[in-house]
Amino acid sequence: MSLLTLLRSRFDSVLRSMADDTGPLLEMIRPAQDARFGDYQANFAMSLSKQLGKPPREIAAEVVSRLQLDDLCEAPEVAGPGFINLKFRSEFIAARITEIAGDDRLGVTPVDNPRHVIVDFSSPNVAKPMHVGHLRSTVIGDAICRTLRFAGHRVTSDNHIGDWGTQFGMIIYGYRHFRNDAAYAAEPVAELSRLYKLVNQLSDYHTAVQKLPVLKTVLEKAEKGVQEFQATLDAGDKKAQKQLAQLQRQAESARTELRACESTVANLQSDASLLAIADAHPNIARLAREETAKLHAGDADNQKLWDEFLPACLQALQRIYDRLGIQFDLSLGESFYNPMLPEVVESLKSKQLSTVSDGAVCVFIEGNRAPFIVQKSDGAYTYATTDLATIRYRHETLHADELLYVVDNRQSEHFQLLFQTAQHWGFEKLRMRHISFGTVMGADGKPYKTRSGDNVGLESLIDEAISRARRIIDENDNRRESPALSEEQRARVAEIVGIGGIKYADLHHNRDSDYTFDWDKMLATTGDTAAYMQYAYARICGIFRKLQIERTAVRSGCAVILSCSEERALALQLLQFDDAIRSVLSEYRPHLLTAWLFETADKFSKFYDRCSVQDAETEGLQKSRLVLCDLMARSLHTGLSLLGIETAEVM
Ligand code: ARG
């Protein structure tokens, strides 16, 4: 049961006679920032005062006099300019705790209107190794799926694998010309990804060589422009100064681009054997593009290679998902939609949504700078066309009510154009949302890379997390008088702490922000980390073991006594789980769940310091404290599991 919903519904009965739209007013009932003001505070009197032309305190007093809250709260207090302070009755809190002590859902009521939500996440491009950037989508997407399901929605997780993109033309070209058979036989995916990188590098080189003279001219012109302008400049003319600064900036950016190009060229030329290969393949970019086009047009040889490459690539991905405990209901890659693409473009044309511009079929939507290109001038369909086909399939065939795309924020414009186009195309009832996120940064403040500048592979990242966790667990356990863990247990705990650490570190940041990857913070056993929560869980299990009481035994028939403020604070916090889940789902922000977990763990540790379980004054009080302990453990377990993080009873 949501405490907020309960309070708001009581206020709603009163406010309905005072305002037409009570929604925004009810939003202003929130948990109090400071415990001195009670548990919750209602701040709507000030805004209602403007609507009704009465002083806010008078309004607050009137609302309070008509409120029916006796069964839930102490008498509400009107404070300051018209705040209404609310404090739950301790008997009410105790009774609710007793009720949810036996509830598997920990008091979380399923939503009234379940939706079918399709969550598109992870969605890596195959044949390029998955890296730390894909981790964010995978971890955030999985947490959102689990939370939606728990709340009672129908969820379909779909891995929209990039298995049809231009990388295949590059790989096919690379495979035909540069393959190392022994390497391919031993580790096909590693070899394919080497080929991809090589072809990419060679085409970048030729592009740079071609661009060099152009960039040089651009820079010369820009520099000349600056000089000429400077020669005639009137020092007192502010406007001219501004123009000069702008010209200088243009020259600077031309210089930067030229330098980047020069270094691409110089880097490759410094390697004689690579240069020989580059010289032998001057048209590599165009030829690779043609291989992609042939594949898309149904060329049998290229299709055969694709059929050969794909299973190995998918297997490599699956290995990572298995280790991370991630499951998909569907893995419909881009290739699945290929047969539908011509029809999508036809349909857009027939609805007169598209125009032809420079030979390309585009959808222009008012207010947007960029067109949405659905077919290029050479006839090729695009990422956009596939995404439109996907929307139609998900809505018409899979009957989704809502689509979520967990993809990094560099694709914001794509999704904005996609959703607008889809709405014009006839999907105005379908909810669509881009769940965007920031970049994982290294300690140097740049996107996280290995020392050699390569992307950090996910597989080695997972290995490292587990081996670092293992060291911490060994140290902890060896420090005990008699170590508690067997070899097998240590290995298992290292796995859940390592993987849980990676996931939690990602999820506890607001997804919009970039965050810095930091092993030590991630695996610390104190602070806002998975390990801290996991240890807290194991510690509570230990309390029961020591007293030789089954945890299930305290789930019914034990009265809850709130004898001090720490007990009360913890109990109230545990009752707010439902609200935490609701807040996560209102904007799909898993960090609101980690925030609740952290706050709960903090209240628990204050409770545990103050209130002895073992030496409780009476048997009744001990039972009551055990109820809180068990509920705490289950809240940790369930909360973490919604984030895809496991727990262990002994650590
Ligand atoms: N494969 C894409 C990438 O790695 C992400 C796909 C996201 N999903 C989508 N339906 N566009 O950039």
Side-chain angles (χ1 to χ4, degrees):
M1 174 227 30
S2 151
L3 292 184
L4 260 179
T5 312
L6 190 60
L7 285 178
R8 285 176 178 160
S9 79
R10 298 294 176 91
F11 274 90
D12 192 42
S13 324
V14 177
L15 288 173
R16 250 184 284 162
S17 64
M18 304 170 88
D20 295 333
D21 184 8
T22 59
L25 302 172
L26 297 173
E27 287 287 310
M28 284 183 250
I29 306 169
R30 296 198 195 104
Q33 295 294 323
D34 186 328
R36 281 176 305 167
F37 304 134
D39 302 324
Y40 285 77
Q41 204 171 45
N43 297 346
F44 54 71
M46 281 67 88
S47 96
L48 199 51
S49 139
K50 285 185 207 109
Q51 293 176 36
L52 300 179
K54 272 196 222 167
R57 272 195 79 98
E58 209 172 286
I59 292 173
E62 188 184 335
V63 171
V64 165
S65 74
R66 288 162 57 186
L67 262 179
Q68 282 293 326
L69 272 183
D70 301 353
D71 53 331
L72 310 178
C73 293
E74 312 281 352
E77 277 171 23
V78 177
F83 299 119
I84 303 172
N85 294 341
L86 303 161
K87 189 165 181 197
F88 277 106
R89 287 177 180 278
S90 292
E91 311 87 82
F92 168 79
I93 298 177
R96 297 310 291 200
I97 291 285
T98 309
E99 229 175 275
I100 69 172
D103 176 12
D104 283 344
R105 296 185 54 83
L106 303 164
V108 178
T109 23
V111 288
D112 298 331
N113 304 306
R115 302 189 292 272
H116 179 198
V117 187
I118 296 188
V119 188
D120 176 323
F121 72 98
S122 196
S123 309
N125 298 323
V126 301
K128 304 184 194 172
M130 243 220 251
H131 59 79
V132 59
H134 291 112
L135 185 67
R136 289 212 83 180
S137 172
T138 309
V139 168
I140 297 171
D142 184 52
I144 290 174
C145 287
R146 288 169 188 263
T147 312
L148 276 167
R149 270 193 201 110
F150 184 69
H153 293 288
R154 181 171 158 217
V155 178
T156 303
S157 54
D158 186 8
N159 193 2
H160 186 73
I161 299 175
D163 60 0
W164 202 240
T166 50
Q167 79 268 32
F168 276 99
M170 297 188 175
I171 294 166
I172 289 171
Y173 188 94
Y175 182 84
R176 292 220 172 97
H177 296 92
F178 311 123
R179 145 182 110 241
N180 174 333
D181 278 316
Y184 182 69
E187 273 196 78
V189 180
E191 175 62 2
L192 292 179
S193 103
R194 180 190 73 84
L195 292 171
Y196 167 76
K197 272 194 230 156
L198 176 63
V199 175
N200 215 2
Q201 192 185 9
L202 297 173
S203 9
D204 282 353
Y205 166 71
H206 287 296
T207 315
V209 169
Q210 272 173 7
K211 266 167 67 183
L212 267 186
V214 184
L215 290 176
K216 274 190 188 138
T217 324
V218 171
L219 179 61
E220 272 162 24
K221 266 199 192 149
E223 281 174 340
K224 211 167 139 215
V226 170
Q227 273 169 11
E228 283 171 7
F229 199 87
Q230 262 169 339
T232 62
L233 190 70
D234 170 1
D237 185 346
K238 282 243 168 75
K239 204 170 149 203
Q241 291 286 2
K242 263 197 190 156
Q243 268 175 314
L244 174 65
Q246 197 186 352
L247 287 177
Q248 282 168 330
R249 272 199 302 276
Q250 279 166 1
E252 187 50 40
S253 86
R255 205 169 295 130
T256 315
E257 205 182 339
L258 179 64
R259 295 245 167 82
C261 226
E262 282 171 344
S263 96
T264 305
V265 172
N267 275 345
L268 192 132
Q269 288 178 341
S270 70
D271 183 333
S273 60
L274 205 54
L275 180 60
I277 298 176
D279 287 339
H281 298 264
N283 299 316
I284 189 165
R286 178 171 55 79
L287 294 173
R289 266 201 310 278
E290 282 173 13
E291 295 300 351
T292 308
K294 270 162 70 186
L295 173 69
H296 289 180
D299 176 86
D301 288 340
N302 282 7
Q303 180 70 43
K304 201 167 150 240
L305 283 180
W306 187 88
D307 290 340
E308 182 183 322
F309 298 155
L310 204 66
C313 297
L314 295 182
Q315 233 170 42
L317 291 178
Q318 191 55 44
R319 235 185 7 241
I320 292 179
Y321 294 133
D322 287 344
R323 295 186 74 183
L324 291 174
I326 309 281
Q327 281 169 2
F328 293 97
D329 300 312
L330 293 174
S331 287
L332 299 178
E334 292 176 2
S335 62
F336 176 78
Y337 298 95
N338 184 50
M340 308 173 198
L341 304 183
E343 220 284 305
V344 168
V345 174
E346 280 318 306
S347 163
L348 291 169
K349 280 185 184 160
S350 74
K351 294 195 174 173
Q352 292 171 350
L353 291 170
S354 64
T355 34
V356 177
S357 163
D358 286 336
V361 184
C362 307
V363 179
F364 285 94
I365 289 170
E366 248 187 44
N368 284 326
R369 276 181 300 132
F372 202 45
I373 301 175
V374 292
Q375 191 171 17
K376 292 196 254 183
S377 53
D378 63 5
Y381 299 106
T382 67
Y383 185 53
T385 332
T386 307
D387 260 335
L388 285 169
T390 308
I391 289 178
R392 175 144 91 183
Y393 183 80
R394 286 174 178 166
H395 188 57
E396 290 177 357
T397 308
L398 302 175
H399 306 292
D401 305 306
E402 179 170 356
L403 308 181
L404 302 180
Y405 296 84
V406 189
V407 185
D408 72 76
N409 54 20
R410 288 169 307 179
Q411 294 195 30
S412 297
E413 185 171 47
H414 167 74
F415 285 108
Q416 195 187 329
L417 292 171
L418 174 67
F419 298 160
Q420 288 180 345
T421 304
Q423 273 158 8
H424 283 81
W425 193 28
F427 296 93
E428 56 281 270
K429 288 224 187 74
L430 181 63
R431 298 195 202 196
M432 293 172 270
R433 208 167 155 149
H434 177 201
I435 310 300
S436 73
F437 54 82
T439 310
V440 184
M441 308 298 256
D444 56 2
K446 299 201 191 113
Y448 191 46
K449 297 267 161 89
T450 60
R451 232 174 273 156
S452 63
D454 283 336
N455 283 324
V456 181
L458 264 196
E459 193 109 67
S460 62
L461 194 85
I462 295 172
D463 288 339
E464 178 153 8
I466 295 173
S467 73
R468 281 174 183 259
R470 174 62 193 250
R471 250 174 279 147
I472 296 169
I473 283 144
D474 284 344
E475 272 167 29
N476 268 344
D477 204 32
N478 292 340
R479 222 184 291 135
R480 289 183 176 134
E481 266 168 45
S482 54
L485 301 174
S486 67
E487 175 61 30
E488 218 171 279
Q489 280 171 315
R490 286 185 183 199
R492 170 83 194 119
V493 172
E495 206 163 291
I496 70 168
V497 169
I499 289 174
I502 297 182
K503 290 185 178 180
Y504 194 97
D506 200 307
L507 293 168
H508 94 287
H509 293 97
N510 193 339
R511 58 179 166 77
D512 287 320
S513 28
D514 298 343
Y515 79 89
T516 304
F517 198 89
D518 181 335
W519 284 116
D520 294 333
K521 270 198 202 156
M522 177 181 301
L523 295 171
T525 49
T526 54
D528 194 8
T529 64
Y532 175 57
M533 309 290 160
Q534 288 165 323
Y535 270 106
Y537 177 78
R539 210 167 294 133
I540 301 173
C541 295
I543 299 171
F544 282 87
R545 268 197 307 276
K546 208 160 159 202
L547 293 170
Q548 299 188 325
I549 297 177
E550 283 292 328
R551 279 176 53 203
T552 47
V554 301
R555 290 183 194 162
S556 62
C558 298
V560 173
I561 307 160
L562 302 176
S563 69
C564 65
S565 63
E566 287 81 0
E567 277 170 326
R568 184 185 182 282
L570 173 63
L572 180 62
Q573 175 73 19
L574 290 167
L575 292 183
Q576 289 167 337
F577 188 40
D578 196 335
D579 282 322
I581 302 279
R582 283 163 198 258
S583 68
V584 170
L585 293 181
S586 87
E587 286 201 36
Y588 300 109
R589 295 193 188 279
H591 80 281
L592 297 173
L593 181 53
T594 67
W596 179 83
L597 281 168
F598 191 45
E599 182 80 42
T600 312
D602 178 56
K603 301 230 154 104
F604 181 79
S605 95
K606 288 184 179 134
F607 152 82
Y608 197 64
D609 284 347
R610 169 84 193 277
C611 310
S612 172
V613 177
Q614 205 158 0
D615 303 321
E617 290 85 341
T618 62
E619 198 186 326
L621 197 53
Q622 181 177 67
K623 283 253 168 66
S624 162
R625 287 178 180 167
L626 285 172
V627 172
L628 288 177
C629 287
D630 174 59
L631 200 52
M632 175 69 201
R634 283 158 60 215
S635 300
L636 282 170
H637 177 82
T638 306
L640 289 172
S641 81
L642 296 181
L643 303 171
I645 298 173
E646 294 180 85
T647 44
E649 301 206 350
V650 187
M651 270 177 63

